[in-house]
Amino acid sequence: MTSAAASCSDFVQFFRLWAANPLQVAAVAPSGDALARVMTQEIGPETGPVLELGPGTGVFTRALLERGVAESDLTLVEYGSDFARMLEFRFPQARVLWMDASQLARFDLYGDMPVGAVVSGLPLLSMSPRKVVAILSGAFTYMRPGGAFYQFTYGPRCPVPRPILDRLGLKATRTGRALRNIPPAAVYKITRRQPLGAGRRRFEALPA
Ligand SMILES: C[S@@+](CC[C@H](N)C(=O)[O-])C[C@H]1O[C@@H](n2cnc3c(N)ncnc32)[C@H](O)[C@@H]1O
Protein backbone atom coordinates (compact mmCIF):
# COMPACT_ATOMS: atom_id res chain seq x y z
CA MET A 1 0.00 0.00 0.00
CA THR A 2 1.35 3.51 -0.82
CA SER A 3 1.69 5.97 2.07
CA ALA A 4 -1.17 8.10 0.62
CA ALA A 5 -3.43 5.03 0.51
CA ALA A 6 -2.35 4.07 4.05
CA SER A 7 -3.18 7.52 5.46
CA CYS A 8 -6.52 7.52 3.62
CA SER A 9 -7.34 4.12 5.13
CA ASP A 10 -6.26 5.39 8.60
CA PHE A 11 -8.53 8.39 8.16
CA VAL A 12 -11.53 6.18 7.26
CA GLN A 13 -10.83 3.81 10.17
CA PHE A 14 -10.35 6.69 12.62
CA PHE A 15 -13.56 8.39 11.48
CA ARG A 16 -15.49 5.12 11.83
CA LEU A 17 -14.22 4.64 15.41
CA TRP A 18 -14.94 8.27 16.26
CA ALA A 19 -18.54 7.85 14.98
CA ALA A 20 -18.92 4.76 17.20
CA ASN A 21 -17.45 6.46 20.28
CA PRO A 22 -17.08 10.26 19.86
CA LEU A 23 -16.26 11.03 23.52
CA GLN A 24 -13.47 8.48 23.75
CA VAL A 25 -11.85 9.14 20.37
CA ALA A 26 -12.57 12.91 20.53
CA ALA A 27 -11.13 13.75 17.09
CA VAL A 28 -12.50 12.94 13.64
CA ALA A 29 -9.08 12.32 12.13
CA PRO A 30 -5.60 11.27 13.28
CA SER A 31 -3.16 14.05 14.12
CA GLY A 32 -1.01 15.33 11.27
CA ASP A 33 2.75 14.97 10.81
CA ALA A 34 3.37 18.61 11.84
CA LEU A 35 1.80 18.03 15.27
CA ALA A 36 3.63 14.70 15.61
CA ARG A 37 6.92 16.53 15.04
CA VAL A 38 6.19 19.15 17.73
CA MET A 39 5.01 16.47 20.17
CA THR A 40 8.20 14.42 19.80
CA GLN A 41 10.84 17.12 19.10
CA GLU A 42 12.50 16.83 22.54
CA ILE A 43 12.56 13.01 22.57
CA GLY A 44 15.31 10.77 21.20
CA PRO A 45 17.15 7.50 21.81
CA GLU A 46 18.70 8.95 25.00
CA THR A 47 15.21 9.36 26.51
CA GLY A 48 14.98 5.61 27.13
CA PRO A 49 11.55 4.08 27.74
CA VAL A 50 8.64 6.15 26.45
CA LEU A 51 5.03 5.66 27.55
CA GLU A 52 2.43 6.69 24.97
CA LEU A 53 -1.17 7.23 26.06
CA GLY A 54 -4.00 7.12 23.52
CA PRO A 55 -1.86 6.37 20.43
CA GLY A 56 -4.87 5.78 18.14
CA THR A 57 -3.50 4.73 14.75
CA GLY A 58 0.09 5.46 15.85
CA VAL A 59 0.94 8.85 14.30
CA PHE A 60 3.06 9.89 17.30
CA THR A 61 4.43 6.33 17.64
CA ARG A 62 5.80 6.54 14.11
CA ALA A 63 7.32 9.97 14.84
CA LEU A 64 9.01 8.55 17.96
CA LEU A 65 10.57 5.76 15.90
CA GLU A 66 11.74 8.33 13.32
CA ARG A 67 13.41 10.23 16.19
CA GLY A 68 15.42 7.14 17.02
CA VAL A 69 13.46 5.73 19.96
CA ALA A 70 13.77 1.93 19.95
CA GLU A 71 10.45 0.19 19.27
CA SER A 72 11.15 -2.10 22.24
CA ASP A 73 11.35 1.00 24.47
CA LEU A 74 7.72 1.89 23.69
CA THR A 75 4.71 1.07 25.86
CA LEU A 76 1.44 1.99 24.12
CA VAL A 77 -1.64 2.35 26.34
CA GLU A 78 -4.85 2.39 24.30
CA TYR A 79 -8.46 1.93 25.44
CA GLY A 80 -10.01 1.34 22.02
CA SER A 81 -9.81 -2.37 21.20
CA ASP A 82 -9.67 -1.80 17.40
CA PHE A 83 -6.87 0.73 17.82
CA ALA A 84 -5.02 -1.62 20.21
CA ARG A 85 -5.19 -4.49 17.69
CA MET A 86 -3.94 -2.19 14.92
CA LEU A 87 -1.03 -1.02 17.10
CA GLU A 88 -0.02 -4.60 17.93
CA PHE A 89 0.09 -5.40 14.22
CA ARG A 90 1.99 -2.22 13.29
CA PHE A 91 4.50 -2.14 16.15
CA PRO A 92 5.16 -5.79 17.03
CA GLN A 93 8.18 -5.01 19.23
CA ALA A 94 6.34 -2.41 21.32
CA ARG A 95 4.36 -3.35 24.41
CA VAL A 96 0.69 -2.64 23.65
CA LEU A 97 -1.62 -2.47 26.66
CA TRP A 98 -5.35 -2.47 26.04
CA MET A 99 -6.42 -0.52 29.11
CA ASP A 100 -7.76 2.73 30.52
CA ALA A 101 -4.88 5.15 31.12
CA SER A 102 -6.49 6.24 34.40
CA GLN A 103 -5.63 2.78 35.79
CA LEU A 104 -1.85 3.14 35.28
CA ALA A 105 -1.05 3.33 38.99
CA ARG A 106 -2.91 0.08 39.70
CA PHE A 107 -0.30 -1.95 37.84
CA ASP A 108 3.41 -2.33 38.21
CA LEU A 109 4.26 -1.60 34.60
CA TYR A 110 7.97 -1.02 35.01
CA GLY A 111 8.97 -1.96 38.53
CA ASP A 112 10.91 1.27 38.89
CA MET A 113 10.85 4.81 37.46
CA PRO A 114 12.65 4.48 34.13
CA VAL A 115 10.30 6.42 31.84
CA GLY A 116 11.95 9.44 30.23
CA ALA A 117 8.86 10.81 28.50
CA VAL A 118 5.11 10.35 28.29
CA VAL A 119 3.43 11.29 25.01
CA SER A 120 -0.30 11.77 25.40
CA GLY A 121 -2.98 12.04 22.75
CA LEU A 122 -5.69 11.58 25.39
CA PRO A 123 -8.77 13.83 25.21
CA LEU A 124 -8.18 15.34 28.66
CA LEU A 125 -10.69 18.15 28.05
CA SER A 126 -13.55 15.66 27.84
CA MET A 127 -12.52 13.84 31.04
CA SER A 128 -13.52 14.51 34.64
CA PRO A 129 -10.95 16.23 36.91
CA ARG A 130 -10.71 13.01 38.94
CA LYS A 131 -9.76 11.05 35.84
CA VAL A 132 -7.18 13.64 34.77
CA VAL A 133 -5.61 13.45 38.25
CA ALA A 134 -5.51 9.64 38.06
CA ILE A 135 -3.85 9.73 34.62
CA LEU A 136 -1.19 12.28 35.57
CA SER A 137 -0.42 10.81 38.98
CA GLY A 138 -0.22 7.33 37.44
CA ALA A 139 2.08 8.46 34.63
CA PHE A 140 4.40 10.34 36.98
CA THR A 141 4.66 7.23 39.17
CA TYR A 142 6.85 5.77 36.42
CA MET A 143 8.64 8.97 35.38
CA ARG A 144 12.29 9.33 36.22
CA PRO A 145 13.66 12.66 37.55
CA GLY A 146 13.73 15.21 34.74
CA GLY A 147 11.18 13.30 32.67
CA ALA A 148 8.33 15.13 30.92
CA PHE A 149 4.71 14.52 29.96
CA TYR A 150 3.81 15.94 26.53
CA GLN A 151 0.16 16.72 25.84
CA PHE A 152 -1.49 18.42 22.89
CA THR A 153 -4.69 20.41 22.91
CA TYR A 154 -6.96 22.20 20.46
CA GLY A 155 -7.93 24.62 23.25
CA PRO A 156 -6.47 28.05 24.08
CA ARG A 157 -4.69 26.95 27.28
CA CYS A 158 -3.13 23.92 28.97
CA PRO A 159 -5.82 21.20 29.17
CA VAL A 160 -4.74 20.39 32.75
CA PRO A 161 -6.30 23.04 35.00
CA ARG A 162 -4.00 24.95 37.35
CA PRO A 163 -5.52 23.51 40.57
CA ILE A 164 -4.69 19.98 39.38
CA LEU A 165 -1.13 20.97 38.48
CA ASP A 166 -0.77 22.59 41.93
CA ARG A 167 -2.20 19.56 43.72
CA LEU A 168 0.26 17.23 41.99
CA GLY A 169 3.28 19.54 42.26
CA LEU A 170 3.54 19.93 38.49
CA LYS A 171 4.07 22.83 36.10
CA ALA A 172 3.19 23.22 32.41
CA THR A 173 4.92 25.18 29.68
CA ARG A 174 3.87 25.47 26.04
CA THR A 175 6.61 24.05 23.81
CA GLY A 176 5.13 24.76 20.41
CA ARG A 177 2.17 24.94 18.09
CA ALA A 178 1.20 23.04 14.96
CA LEU A 179 -0.77 25.51 12.90
CA ARG A 180 -0.85 23.14 9.93
CA ASN A 181 -2.78 20.57 11.93
CA ILE A 182 -6.57 20.33 11.48
CA PRO A 183 -7.59 21.88 13.80
CA PRO A 184 -4.46 23.81 14.86
CA ALA A 185 -3.03 22.50 18.12
CA ALA A 186 -0.62 23.51 20.88
CA VAL A 187 1.74 21.23 22.78
CA TYR A 188 2.36 21.48 26.53
CA LYS A 189 5.23 19.96 28.50
CA ILE A 190 4.31 19.02 32.06
CA THR A 191 7.12 18.43 34.55
CA ARG A 192 7.65 18.16 38.28
CA ARG A 193 8.10 21.53 39.99
CA GLN A 194 10.95 20.30 42.12
CA PRO A 195 13.35 17.44 41.61
CA LEU A 196 12.53 14.13 43.25
CA GLY A 197 14.05 13.92 46.68
CA ALA A 198 13.32 17.57 47.41
CA GLY A 199 9.70 16.65 48.07
CA ARG A 200 7.49 13.57 47.96
CA ARG A 201 9.08 10.70 46.06
CA ARG A 202 6.04 9.08 44.46
CA PHE A 203 2.52 10.33 43.85
CA GLU A 204 -0.25 8.51 45.60
CA ALA A 205 -2.44 6.36 43.38
CA LEU A 206 -5.93 7.83 43.35
CA PRO A 207 -9.08 5.89 42.57
CA ALA A 208 -10.34 6.36 38.98
C1 LIG B 1 -7.78 12.37 19.99
S1 LIG B 1 -7.43 10.64 19.75
C2 LIG B 1 -5.66 10.79 19.48
C3 LIG B 1 -5.07 9.63 18.72
C4 LIG B 1 -3.62 9.82 18.28
N1 LIG B 1 -2.73 10.06 19.39
C5 LIG B 1 -3.52 10.97 17.32
O1 LIG B 1 -3.07 12.04 17.74
O2 LIG B 1 -3.91 10.79 16.17
C6 LIG B 1 -7.58 10.01 21.42
C7 LIG B 1 -7.09 8.59 21.62
O3 LIG B 1 -7.09 8.29 23.02
C8 LIG B 1 -7.73 7.03 23.23
N2 LIG B 1 -8.29 7.06 24.59
C9 LIG B 1 -9.34 7.81 25.04
N3 LIG B 1 -9.54 7.61 26.35
C10 LIG B 1 -8.57 6.75 26.76
C11 LIG B 1 -8.23 6.18 28.02
N4 LIG B 1 -8.94 6.47 29.12
N5 LIG B 1 -7.17 5.34 28.09
C12 LIG B 1 -6.44 5.04 26.97
N6 LIG B 1 -6.72 5.54 25.74
C13 LIG B 1 -7.77 6.39 25.63
C14 LIG B 1 -8.75 6.94 22.12
O4 LIG B 1 -9.19 5.60 21.90
C15 LIG B 1 -7.96 7.54 20.96
O5 LIG B 1 -7.13 6.57 20.38
Side-chain angles (χ1 to χ4, degrees), residues 24-25 27 30-31 54-56 60 78-79 83 99-101 121-123 127:
Q24 184 189 304
V25 177
S31 297
F60 300 157
E78 173 55 59
Y79 198 42
F83 283 136
M99 63 178 274
D100 183 338
L122 295 173
M127 294 177 177

Side-chain angles (χ1 to χ4, degrees), residues 12-143:
V12 171
Q13 172 82 330
F14 205 98
F15 186 82
R16 194 176 64 73
L17 294 174
W18 167 78
N21 202 337
L23 276 186
Q24 184 189 304
V25 177
V28 293
S31 297
D33 291 341
L35 177 55
R37 272 194 297 276
V38 184
M39 279 291 280
T40 58
Q41 64 190 351
E42 296 186 352
I43 302 173
E46 70 290 348
T47 308
V50 176
L51 177 60
E52 187 179 350
L53 309 179
T57 52
V59 175
F60 300 157
T61 321
R62 234 174 276 120
L64 287 166
L65 296 177
E66 277 162 23
R67 294 217 34 100
V69 175
E71 193 172 315
S72 54
D73 267 342
L74 291 173
T75 296
L76 312 176
V77 171
E78 173 55 59
Y79 198 42
S81 55
D82 291 302
F83 283 136
R85 259 193 300 275
M86 187 188 289
L87 292 164
E88 267 175 349
F89 179 73
R90 288 184 174 175
F91 309 105
Q93 290 166 49
R95 175 166 60 155
V96 178
L97 302 176
W98 175 34
M99 63 178 274
D100 183 338
S102 66
Q103 304 296 305
L104 282 173
R106 292 180 183 246
F107 301 93
D108 194 4
L109 294 187
Y110 291 94
D112 200 356
M113 302 171 74
V115 170
V118 177
V119 172
S120 167
L122 295 173
L124 296 186
L125 287 178
S126 60
M127 294 177 177
S128 69
R130 177 172 279 269
K131 191 155 184 162
V132 173
V133 167
I135 288 166
L136 279 167
S137 59
F140 273 91
T141 300
Y142 301 114
M143 194 92 80

